[in-house]
Amino acid sequence: MERTFIAIKPDGVKRGFIGKILQRFEDKSYKIVALKMLNVTQEQAKKHYAEHEGKAFYPSLIEYITSGPVVAMVLEGENVVAGARHIMGKTNPDEADVGTIRGDFAQAKEYNIVHGSDSVESAKREIAIYFSEDEMCENYKTMLEIVMGQ
Ligand code: IDP
Ligand code: MG
C-alpha cells in the first residue's frame, strides 16, 4: 500500500486549520499511520527542500517552514501520493480549485499551508527525514479496511 508524507505548515497551524485539514484526509479514508507536531530544524528543512536550493524563494521557504510548529503525518492508501495532492490543490492557491485545501484556505504561493510529497520516491525520502520506523502505527484497521475485508 502506498504512503505519502503530509505536513500542515506553520501558517496552517497558527491559523487554526489543523482539524479542518486532517478532516479532508480522513474524509477520503486515508489511513493515518503516523502523526506528530514538531518544530522543523534547519537541518530537516534543508534536507526536505534540497531540490529548491539556489532558487530565489529558497531562503524564505526555509524561514517559513521553520517559523513555527508543523503537524507532520504519514498517510497510507490507494494512490495516496497523487490523491493527497489532488485534495491539497495546486502549489499556487490562485490556481488551486475551490474545494481543495489550498484553494479554500490559502492566498499566496509563499504561504500555501500544506505540504504533500510529489512521488512515491519523494515520500520515502521525506518520511525518513521526519519519522523513525518505530513511530509508524499501521497495526490497526480503519473502517474502510474492515469494510473491504482487508
Ligand atoms: P509543492 O509544495 O506544491 O510540491 P514545490 O514547487 O515543490 O510545490 O515548492 C515547494 C514550496 O515552496 C511550495 O509549497 C511553496 O511553499 C514554495 N514555493 C514554490 N514556488 C514558489 C514561488 O515561486 N515563490 C515562493 N514560494 C514558492
Ligand atoms: Mg514539492
Side-chain angles (χ1 to χ4, degrees):
M1 193 55 82
E2 197 169 288
R3 286 183 179 180
T4 194
F5 173 74
I6 301 288
I8 302 172
K9 295 177 175 180
D11 51 334
V13 172
K14 287 174 192 161
R15 290 175 60 204
F17 286 135
I18 296 173
K20 283 198 171 88
I21 293 171
L22 280 177
Q23 191 66 62
R24 300 269 170 121
F25 296 119
E26 283 197 305
D27 285 348
K28 185 80 175 176
S29 291
Y30 289 138
K31 181 173 186 170
I32 301 172
V33 168
L35 179 70
K36 68 179 170 188
M37 194 174 201
L38 75 150
N39 288 297
V40 175
T41 65
Q42 286 287 323
E43 194 190 343
Q44 284 172 317
K46 284 177 183 162
K47 272 193 197 164
H48 182 162
Y49 286 122
E51 64 170 311
H52 296 300
E53 200 182 338
K55 293 182 186 167
F57 63 84
Y58 176 77
S60 57
L61 176 59
I62 298 298
E63 201 179 314
Y64 164 42
I65 202 70
T66 57
S67 65
V70 306
V71 173
M73 71 197 84
V74 178
L75 299 180
E76 193 175 88
E78 192 108 0
N79 296 317
V80 67
V81 170
R85 279 182 72 92
H86 206 64
I87 288 169
M88 286 161 45
K90 289 192 180 158
T91 307
N92 186 348
D94 270 353
E95 294 165 7
D97 290 333
V98 171
T100 64
I101 295 168
R102 287 165 168 173
D104 289 354
F105 304 139
Q107 290 184 23
K109 231 189 321 197
E110 289 81 356
Y111 301 103
N112 57 6
I113 80 168
V114 68
H115 167 83
S117 308
D118 63 7
S119 67
V120 172
E121 287 315 301
S122 301
K124 285 195 181 126
R125 195 183 70 81
E126 291 167 6
I127 290 167
I129 294 170
Y130 292 97
F131 289 98
S132 59
E133 206 35 62
D134 64 5
E135 286 177 292
M136 299 299 131
C137 304
E138 66 273 299
N139 55 347
Y140 74 100
K141 281 190 192 297
T142 62
M143 275 313 289
L144 182 65
E145 286 173 325
I146 292 166
V147 168
M148 300 298 283
Q150 286 170 353

